[in-house]
C-alpha cells in the first residue's frame, strides 16, 4: 500500500471522486445530474494498492491557519482495512507540512455516521458549523490541532 499525492486532473482521482458522489447521491438522495467536480484548489492523495487507486482524500485550504479534509472515500471492497484512517493521517501530515495549524471536517448530511466516528476517534472535536454548513441543520463540524502553537513560536 502506498499513499501518494496526485494532481486534480488525474484520471484515477476523477474516477474516485465520481464514485464517491454517486454513492452519496444514492445514499442521501439529492438532485439528479448533480455536478461532480474535482476541485483544482485541493491537494489530492490516493491510496494505491495492487497498482490501482482505491481510496482518496483532499485537503482544501480554508485560510492561513486551517485546511479542510474533503472527499475522503474508500471503495467499498477496500473498507474495513484502516485505509480511511491512514488517509486521514496522511492528510493531517500534509496540512502540517503546508503550515496549517488546524484541520477541519464538515459532515453535511447527518447520515454518514461512520465518517463522524472516524474523525472523533482520531482526536477531532466538535465545533460550531462554519462556511456553507452554517445553514444546514444536519451539519456536524469537527477540527483537530495538527501543529502545536508552542512549536510555531
Amino acid at each position: 500500500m502506498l499513499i501518494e499525492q496526485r494532481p486534480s486532473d488525474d484520471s484515477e482521482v476523477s474516477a474516485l471522486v465520481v464514485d464517491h458522489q454517486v454513492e452519496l447521491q444514492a445514499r442521501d438522495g439529492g438532485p439528479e445530474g448533480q455536478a461532480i467536480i474535482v476541485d483544482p484548489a485541493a491537494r489530492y492523495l490516493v491510496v494505491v494498492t495492487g497498482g490501482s487507486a482505491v481510496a482518496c482524500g483532499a485537503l482544501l485550504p480554508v485560510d492561513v491557519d486551517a485546511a479542510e479534509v474533503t472527499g475522503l472515500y474508500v471503495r467499498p471492497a477496500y473498507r474495513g482495512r484502516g485505509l480511511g484512517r491512514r488517509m486521514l493521517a496522511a492528510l493531517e501530515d500534509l496540512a502540517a507540512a503546508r503550515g496549517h495549524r488546524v484541520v477541519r471536517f464538515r459532515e453535511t448530511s447527518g447520515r454518514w455516521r461512520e465518517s463522524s466516528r472516524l474523525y472523533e476517534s482520531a482526536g477531532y472535536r466538535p465545533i460550531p458549523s462554519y462556511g456553507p454548513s452554517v445553514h444546514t441543520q444536519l451539519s456536524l463540524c469537527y477540527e483537530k490541532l495538527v501543529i502545536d502553537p508552542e512549536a510555531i513560536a
Side-chain angles (χ1 to χ4, degrees):
M1 184 210 67
L2 172 71
I3 297 178
E4 60 186 24
Q5 190 167 333
R6 297 272 183 93
S8 61
D9 62 354
D10 179 83
S11 63
E12 287 188 301
V13 167
S14 297
L16 286 162
V17 169
V18 167
D19 290 350
H20 185 207
Q21 292 301 314
V22 167
E23 187 174 332
L24 286 171
Q25 201 281 329
R27 190 168 179 175
D28 292 343
E32 289 294 326
Q34 177 176 323
I36 298 172
I37 301 170
V38 175
D39 189 337
R43 301 283 181 168
Y44 287 88
L45 298 181
V46 296
V47 173
V48 178
T49 185
S52 297
V54 300
C56 68
L59 190 69
L60 189 61
V62 174
D63 57 36
V64 173
D65 288 329
E68 180 177 68
V69 169
T70 183
L72 186 58
Y73 175 72
V74 178
R75 288 210 163 111
Y78 294 89
R79 292 181 186 159
R81 300 179 189 187
L83 298 181
R85 184 170 304 281
R86 290 181 192 154
M87 175 63 72
L88 180 58
L91 289 164
E92 292 169 358
D93 289 346
L94 178 61
R98 297 185 60 76
H100 297 291
R101 187 178 62 81
V102 171
V103 175
R104 293 182 181 154
F105 166 73
R106 285 183 290 148
E107 164 52 67
T108 56
S109 74
R111 296 183 187 155
W112 284 79
R113 301 306 305 164
E114 312 89 70
S115 58
S116 294
R117 285 192 297 270
L118 169 65
Y119 286 90
E120 289 169 357
S121 70
Y124 285 73
R125 63 179 180 81
I127 61 170
S129 294
Y130 65 94
S133 297
V134 169
H135 303 293
T136 306
Q137 288 182 338
L138 297 177
S139 176
L140 301 171
C141 297
Y142 298 89
E143 76 176 15
K144 179 179 180 179
L145 189 66
V146 293
I147 297 177
D148 186 342
E150 292 180 17
I152 297 171

